[in-house]
Amino acid sequence: MRARHAHAFLDAAELILLLGDDAGIEAVPNLIGSLAVLSGIAAADAICGGSRGERAGENHLDAVDLLRRSVEPGSTAPAQLKRLLTAKSTTQYSGQLIGRVKAFELLTAARRLVECLDRS
């Protein structure tokens, strides 16, 4: 289920990237960033669940350590997850707007985590 969520959030972010401005959606970068964060968390949950049968608790930063133990040494997946988690509050709870460059960076991190999921 979490793997499907990871893909669905990523697909939604990609659609917002392509169509958000034309559809008149406000705060497109924040929406992309928020969906990227959700995609990355779901991908990490699926990776950890598949390889270790575990899922991190409420503290998302614990998920970075769990993911590190769940992937091959040298994988960038933990760094990608940490990048996304660092932006979680800003993209999902804050009134602060992020820029398009930051949104694209978060989307790239989510893509890399989903790719890691697909390889696992």
Side-chain angles (χ1 to χ4, degrees), residues 17-57:
L17 178 65
L18 291 173
L19 305 172
D21 289 330
D22 291 339
I25 296 173
E26 293 184 31
V28 166
N30 278 60
L31 185 53
I32 292 169
S34 181
L35 289 165
V37 169
L38 293 171
S39 176
I41 291 170
D45 286 348
I47 292 166
C48 295
S51 73
R52 301 183 65 83
E54 296 180 54
R55 185 170 172 253

Side-chain angles (χ1 to χ4, degrees):
M1 178 62 80
R2 294 301 283 158
R4 287 195 306 264
H5 288 163
H7 282 277
F9 289 132
L10 184 59
D11 290 345
E14 298 280 3
L15 284 172
I16 297 298
L17 178 65
L18 291 173
L19 305 172
D21 289 330
D22 291 339
I25 296 173
E26 293 184 31
V28 166
N30 278 60
L31 185 53
I32 292 169
S34 181
L35 289 165
V37 169
L38 293 171
S39 176
I41 291 170
D45 286 348
I47 292 166
C48 295
S51 73
R52 301 183 65 83
E54 296 180 54
R55 185 170 172 253
E58 292 298 313
N59 182 349
H60 288 301
L61 294 180
D62 289 344
V64 174
D65 291 330
L66 182 59
L67 183 59
R68 188 172 288 114
R69 295 190 308 268
S70 301
V71 294
E72 295 180 16
S75 171
T76 66
Q80 303 303 327
L81 180 60
K82 186 173 182 180
R83 176 175 291 123
L84 291 166
L85 293 174
T86 301
K88 183 174 178 23
S89 291
T90 303
T91 61
Q92 296 182 349
Y93 307 118
S94 169
Q96 179 182 351
L97 297 177
I98 65 170
R100 290 188 179 275
V101 171
K102 181 67 173 180
F104 190 76
E105 289 171 0
L106 296 173
L107 186 56
T108 299
R111 286 175 182 147
R112 289 179 179 157
L113 273 166
V114 170
E115 289 169 1
C116 181
L117 166 64
D118 290 344
R119 288 190 305 269
S120 64

